[in-house]
Amino acid sequence: MASILEQPILGLGTEFPDHVFILKHAPTGRYGCYCHEGIHGLAVFSDEAHALNFGSAIDISNLEICMVSFDESRDVAKGRPLPVVAVMLLDQLDAPVIHFVR
């Protein structure tokens, strides 16, 4: 079951780290996203190892793992086309922490 954060802005407590890791495909400008129970979100991770593990399941070359601030990850998620509506901390794929950005 997903953990959904009620707060629409920062001040989230300890659920999300200050900096997260995201997957970016530089040639296309696309980012790693995930769908959990019908909610689409930007995939973020608390450490590089989790991001690398997630990225290894994606059959695309030239994926970069980038460390960004939580605010930057929100901006990336907001810039994604619908149906992406959230940032998802996916350290545990079966129990993501979801922060809605729209």
Side-chain angles (χ1 to χ4, degrees):
M1 172 80 105
S3 173
I4 299 176
L5 300 177
E6 300 290 329
Q7 298 92 339
I9 56 173
L10 280 182
L12 299 173
T14 58
E15 295 291 343
F16 274 84
D18 291 335
H19 289 85
V20 294
F21 293 86
I22 60 175
L23 295 162
K24 180 179 182 180
H25 187 243
T28 61
R30 293 184 177 182
Y31 292 85
C33 293
Y34 190 71
C35 180
H36 179 77
E37 296 182 359
I39 300 168
H40 295 261
L42 175 70
V44 303
F45 306 88
S46 63
D47 60 52
E48 193 170 1
H50 282 105
L52 184 61
N53 186 43
F54 183 82
S56 68
I58 301 172
D59 188 25
I60 297 176
S61 60
N62 299 325
L63 277 180
E64 300 174 7
I65 297 174
C66 306
M67 184 174 74
V68 297
S69 71
F70 177 71
D71 283 341
E72 289 171 316
S73 73
R74 291 188 61 203
D75 290 341
V76 169
K78 288 178 187 177
R80 301 296 87 212
L82 290 174
V84 174
V85 296
V87 173
M88 291 186 177
L89 183 62
L90 295 175
D91 291 346
Q92 296 178 356
L93 285 177
D94 59 340
V97 179
I98 299 172
H99 172 76
F100 288 95
V101 296
R102 53 177 150 201

